[in-house]
Amino acid sequence: MQLFPAGSELKARDGRRWVADPDAVVTAFASNRGPLAIDYEHGQDHLAAKGLEAPAAGWIVQLENRGGAVWGRVEWTDKAAAMVAAREYRFLSPAFNYLKNGKITRLIGAGLVNRPAFEMTALSREAINQEKEDMKAIAKALGLDEDADEKAVLAAIAARDSERSALLKELKLDPKKAVQKDALAAIASLQGEVETATAALKNAPAETDVAALQQSLTDTKTALTALQQKDADRDIDIALDEATSAGKITPASRDTYRAMCQAEGGLERFKALAATLPVICEPSRLGEKAAETEEEEVDATALAAEATRYQAEQRAAGVSLSYSEAVFAVKDKKEKRA
């Protein structure tokens, strides 16, 4: 509802003049922190001052500057709303404070009148009805009945605000700073992560593929364990051959010393012992050939890769080999080349 007309200078119909300052009026209203009464025919000034009743027709609950004019949101009493709708009252006349120089400083209320001092926009049934329709639309948007009162509407708005704050916190956003585009960006990011995870699940290997990989790993471990044992046996043979060649043990005692070497840490103990043993027989040349044909150290990773290639080659040729068989075949080839 219009409370002051636009213009830097306000002129009443009787010739009085005032200086308008709509922003100051709006600011003063906000600092009042409460609604201002609308009465009938300025009853607050003329009747209440004499101790007579001057009931309110409505309450101004909000002000704003619209292009230099001051407009307010009014909550009417049922009686006043009916009178305005029936065109019994058609104008609002503001009551205000002003300085000696005529500058308006504060709105203190208003009166329902039919002869306003200023040229004002008339009240109408449409304006009253529009406010009611706006409230119905707001209530409906909040999921309330159209006839919900203002208290219910405000409670629903507060609940929606709480839900918004909770959602923003879940999105790791500050409810006091985040705006709609921030929330939409965070939701889009989460959707992207979900799509990526879903695609990864779709592309994951089937259970049979996983089982085959696990069996392949088991075969590899078995083959490597066998190779390690074979290398250990080779090292024991080399040590025994060296001791026999040096004449420090006899061929007949090899099995006894072999059992010693096969125990944990036994090979190192045997080497230390052999270093202290005296020559007890004619040095043998049995170990020379073994020394000359000493095998190269086995690179387990390279051997596993070569065994995999060999297995694939044989499969392509129609020959089915287990992984262990492929490893031993590759190992034998290396020994023959040596």
Side-chain angles (χ1 to χ4, degrees):
M1 306 298 175
Q2 189 181 43
L3 291 160
F4 288 102
S8 58
E9 184 180 65
L10 303 183
K11 182 179 179 181
R13 286 187 170 90
D14 61 8
R16 290 175 296 168
R17 297 175 183 271
W18 292 271
V19 177
D21 191 345
D23 289 332
V25 171
V26 173
T27 300
F29 175 83
S31 66
N32 183 62
R33 298 183 180 276
L36 297 177
I38 297 175
D39 54 31
Y40 298 94
E41 302 287 357
H42 290 295
Q44 289 293 317
D45 297 321
H46 305 304
L47 299 178
K50 299 176 183 179
L52 302 177
E53 290 187 358
W59 299 91
I60 302 168
V61 296
Q62 182 180 351
L63 287 186
E64 63 179 34
N65 180 352
R66 295 185 186 176
V70 176
W71 288 70
R73 185 164 71 87
V74 176
E75 294 177 354
W76 296 104
T77 64
D78 292 340
K79 176 183 177 181
M83 296 178 76
V84 171
R87 300 170 68 87
E88 294 177 16
Y89 279 107
R90 298 202 61 198
F91 298 96
L92 278 179
S93 175
F96 52 88
N97 293 338
Y98 59 93
L99 302 176
K100 289 183 178 181
N101 61 7
K103 181 179 179 181
I104 297 173
T105 59
R106 178 184 297 271
L107 179 71
I108 60 174
L112 272 175
V113 299
N114 286 322
R115 294 180 180 179
F118 298 129
E119 293 183 6
M120 303 283 283
T121 301
L123 302 177
S124 64
R125 178 195 300 264
E126 288 75 15
I128 299 297
N129 290 339
Q130 184 59 49
E131 286 191 357
K132 292 182 178 179
E133 290 302 318
D134 289 345
M135 184 63 73
K136 288 182 179 180
I138 294 172
K140 186 175 181 180
L142 291 171
L144 302 174
D145 293 335
E146 289 187 352
D147 58 352
D149 59 17
E150 183 177 0
K151 183 178 180 180
V153 170
L154 292 176
I157 292 173
R160 290 291 182 90
D161 189 60
S162 296
E163 293 172 1
R164 170 186 171 277
S165 296
L167 174 62
L168 291 175
K169 288 179 180 178
E170 288 293 328
L171 294 172
K172 310 301 182 186
L173 298 174
D174 185 347
K176 295 181 179 179
K177 297 180 180 179
V179 294
Q180 184 179 11
K181 66 177 183 179
D182 298 326
L184 292 176
I187 292 171
S189 177
L190 285 176
Q191 288 175 333
E193 293 176 7
V194 170
E195 291 174 359
T196 300
T198 302
L201 288 174
K202 289 181 179 179
N203 296 327
E207 291 184 5
T208 54
D209 295 334
V210 173
L213 288 173
Q214 290 175 336
Q215 184 59 50
S216 179
L217 288 174
T218 301
D219 292 344
T220 301
K221 290 178 181 179
T222 301
L224 289 176
T225 300
L227 286 174
Q228 290 171 349
Q229 183 59 49
K230 193 171 183 180
D231 288 343
D233 292 341
R234 180 201 64 188
D235 291 341
I236 291 173
D237 285 336
I238 291 173
L240 293 175
D241 288 343
E242 289 177 349
T244 302
S245 298
K248 294 189 175 185
I249 64 172
T250 63
S253 63
R254 283 177 67 94
D255 289 342
T256 300
Y257 285 116
R258 178 182 296 280
M260 174 184 175
C261 292
Q262 288 174 339
E264 185 175 355
L267 180 58
E268 297 304 320
R269 289 197 296 273
F270 171 75
K271 288 181 178 180
L273 175 63
T276 64
L277 290 175
V279 176
I280 60 174
C281 62
E282 176 111 7
S284 172
R285 298 181 58 81
L286 292 175
E288 291 181 1
K289 182 176 180 182
E292 292 173 358
T293 60
E294 183 176 349
E295 298 178 1
E296 298 177 355
E297 291 294 329
V298 176
D299 185 331
T301 302
L303 183 62
E306 191 170 345
T308 300
R309 288 196 297 273
Y310 182 74
Q311 186 182 35
E313 291 172 357
Q314 293 302 307
R315 187 183 299 112
V319 179
S320 178
L321 289 178
S322 70
Y323 192 78
S324 298
E325 291 173 333
V327 171
F328 283 118
V330 171
K331 180 67 173 163
D332 287 341
K333 284 184 178 181
K334 286 181 176 290
E335 290 175 351
K336 289 177 181 179
R337 287 199 297 270

